Amino acid sequence: MKLSVLPRPVRAATQLVGGAVAVALLVTGCGSGSDSAGSAQRPAGLTAADSLKDPSKPVTITYAGAAYSADDIKPVLAAFHQEHPNITVKYQAVPFDQFNSVLSTRLSRQDSTLDVFDVDMPRTDAYQARGWLTDLSSAFPDLAGKVDKTSQEAATSDGKLVALPYQTSSQLLYYNKALLEKAGIPLPSAKPADRLTWEKVTADAKKTQQAGAKWGLLFDQVNRYYQLQPLAESLGGGSGAGGTKDLTPELQTAGWEKAMTWYGSLYKDKISPRGVPVAQTPDLFASGQVAFFPGGPWWATKFTDNAKLDFGVTAYPYFKDGKPVTPTGGWSLGLNPASKQAVASEIFMKYMALDNGGFAQHMSSLAVPPSNTAGTAAFYDQKVFKDPRMAGAVELTKYELANTATLRARTAGYVEFEDTLSKTFDDISNGASASSALSSATSTINQAWAKYR
């Protein structure tokens, strides 16, 4: 992902080329015309997507996305246009770091020129609370068995399906074989039952540094909630939000304080480097400078493309007194309640997320697993997973998605929650005590959430 989070869950891709133009289009709007050929239907009372027929005359819908670049999604749109010649999808790719703010601008002013948009899964409840999502329950009444259970749960709010999931995510622990062997450390097994503890990883990371490694451990999405939530969850700290509708911050718990104290120690002890932007963390592992790299399968191609990089994968670690927990979540599709082209939008959403495996069937490279259970085969059958260095990755990913994957907090105040925690993690990595940083975060979030209670 990369995502998101990809996708951040992951985030499957971060669009930089043409980003300024895309942002301008998204903020100002881009007229997509009136759907006078039969799909000029307000989203209320949607018809089951399986029974819809294409419009008899050409129409255009606008789709704003952050999961994939315009080039990445081009083959998907080309295939859709060939199968549905009277529907044109105008895609606006926006860098993830700017996507949520500019999307909120369009949705808050009920801009009808935006029809379909990417929904970062943990923001589903927040968008629903703001009235930015259309109830899709009647449009897609039988998703059970068609998408993975966790993705369907993430797309449901107040008992309604308000988004259509199309991709999810998981994590691996990459390790540099050469650095471990130089330090005399046995190579980890790829079996989930042999999962390492964070305590073991920390000790081994220090040994690799003593043997010459520049850095012992570096998280992929450093200082981001997606990547770090499992640390507290493993120790029983929960998601960080609880109470009625998850609008009470629960960060000052033994699990969160222990996990974040450990996280801060990585930087204090110089096991992890300070000040490395998220976009550059995989480069350090790819260049052989890092012994352990917890990250997504979306980096597999980058690592396997380096013939000199001798690495392997193992399960995402857990704390010895806790339980295995892995990050998950990706992207769904939302239908703008202000859209005047609901039918054409439904047809596209169904094609993107469900038809014959959805978008996955048309992409040459998949960064994360599709939510569509019929489309996951394309993900696992990719050439990158046949590289000996990725041995065990497919089995691990399937296992984690079925057994350890844990969604982020479900709260109407997620936007403020995530923004505050990003600053909190940054403070902790720069030397603030976990206790004081989490206390400050609790106060900030409480103030921000007052309007939702």
Side-chain angles (χ1 to χ4, degrees):
M1 248 196 136
K2 274 179 312 352
L3 294 165
S4 110
V5 189
L6 332 140
R8 25 187 198 283
V10 132
R11 301 281 162 312
T14 301
Q15 298 80 26
L16 298 177
V17 179
V21 175
V23 170
L25 286 172
L26 186 57
V27 172
T28 60
C30 181
S32 51
S34 174
D35 191 344
S36 60
S39 65
Q41 173 186 334
R42 300 294 290 183
L46 296 178
T47 303
D50 286 340
S51 66
L52 294 178
K53 296 181 179 180
D54 281 21
S56 58
K57 296 180 181 179
V59 299
T60 298
I61 63 173
T62 299
Y63 167 30
Y68 293 103
S69 70
D71 285 341
D72 286 338
I73 206 168
K74 188 178 295 183
V76 181
L77 299 185
F80 175 79
H81 293 150
Q82 184 174 2
E83 189 167 332
H84 301 273
N86 277 345
I87 304 175
T88 297
V89 180
K90 185 176 294 184
Y91 182 66
Q92 298 175 350
V94 184
F96 174 79
D97 289 343
Q98 302 172 50
F99 182 70
N100 291 305
S101 61
V102 294
L103 182 63
S104 66
T105 300
R106 292 285 292 279
L107 294 172
S108 61
R109 71 188 190 202
Q110 300 181 353
D111 188 338
S112 63
T113 63
L114 175 63
D115 301 294
V116 180
F117 54 93
D118 278 346
V119 179
D120 194 8
M121 282 184 180
R123 294 177 181 248
T124 302
D125 287 323
Y127 285 6
Q128 171 70 354
R130 290 162 172 78
W132 293 350
L133 295 171
T134 298
D135 183 357
L136 302 175
S137 303
S138 58
F140 303 97
D142 55 351
L143 278 191
K146 294 182 179 179
V147 302
D148 71 83
K149 184 178 179 181
T150 303
S151 292
Q152 184 173 356
E153 179 186 345
T156 303
S157 183
D158 296 330
K160 304 171 185 176
L161 182 75
V162 295
L164 186 62
Y166 70 90
Q167 58 146 262
T168 185
S169 65
S170 188
Q171 293 274 293
L172 301 163
L173 177 64
Y174 296 89
Y175 59 88
N176 185 305
K177 290 182 179 180
L179 294 179
L180 266 62
E181 289 173 343
K182 187 177 180 181
I185 299 169
L187 300 182
S189 162
K191 296 180 180 179
D194 297 329
R195 188 185 307 269
L196 298 174
T197 65
W198 286 118
E199 290 87 349
K200 171 67 172 171
V201 171
T202 306
D204 286 349
K206 292 179 179 178
K207 290 179 181 178
T208 65
Q209 288 181 289
Q210 292 166 0
K214 186 169 184 179
W215 304 109
L217 171 63
L218 177 61
F219 281 93
D220 174 2
Q221 295 181 32
V222 61
N223 294 345
R224 285 187 172 162
Y225 178 58
Y226 168 82
Q227 187 86 68
L228 303 184
Q229 175 201 356
L231 301 178
E233 292 270 12
S234 176
L235 289 167
S239 68
T244 303
K245 295 186 177 181
D246 276 353
L247 285 171
T248 300
E250 296 183 348
L251 298 168
Q252 293 177 277
T253 65
W256 270 94
E257 292 202 7
K258 183 175 180 179
M260 290 301 101
T261 297
W262 172 83
Y263 182 66
S265 73
L266 298 178
Y267 299 89
K268 179 182 178 182
D269 296 341
K270 298 183 179 180
I271 298 171
S272 299
R274 287 180 173 137
V276 179
V278 169
Q280 295 177 15
T281 59
D283 294 330
L284 293 184
F285 183 79
S287 63
Q289 299 181 59
V290 176
F292 293 101
F293 183 78
W298 47 86
W299 295 123
T301 300
K302 181 181 183 69
F303 298 156
T304 57
D305 281 349
N306 183 349
K308 296 181 179 179
L309 182 62
D310 190 13
F311 72 94
V313 297
T314 187
Y316 203 78
Y318 72 111
F319 286 105
K320 66 179 181 180
D321 295 327
K323 64 180 181 179
V325 177
T326 54
T328 194
W331 294 96
S332 302
L333 295 173
L335 175 58
N336 184 1
S339 171
K340 296 179 180 179
Q341 304 177 106
V343 170
S345 296
E346 274 187 74
I347 291 171
F348 170 68
M349 293 167 73
K350 178 174 176 286
Y351 186 90
M352 179 78 172
L354 299 172
D355 288 352
N356 300 315
F359 76 100
Q361 63 184 305
H362 303 298
M363 299 189 74
S364 59
S365 178
L366 294 169
V368 291
S371 295
N372 183 337
T373 53
T376 55
F379 173 77
Y380 294 122
D381 194 45
Q382 292 184 100
K383 180 181 178 181
V384 68
F385 291 119
K386 295 176 175 58
D387 188 300
R389 293 170 291 180
M390 290 296 293
V394 169
E395 293 75 16
L396 275 174
T397 303
K398 289 179 179 179
Y399 180 87
E400 306 292 35
L401 287 172
N403 296 281
T404 65
T406 302
L407 290 169
R408 283 159 281 177
R410 300 293 305 270
T411 172
Y414 183 82
V415 175
E416 297 90 342
F417 181 72
E418 184 181 57
D419 289 346
T420 300
L421 284 184
S422 293
K423 297 180 178 67
T424 300
F425 298 146
D426 189 57
D427 289 343
I428 292 172
S429 67
N430 281 312
S433 75
S435 178
S436 62
L438 292 172
S439 174
S440 178
T442 298
S443 298
T444 300
I445 294 168
N446 259 323
Q447 292 175 13
W449 282 358
K451 60 179 174 288
Y452 300 116
R453 297 178 179 132

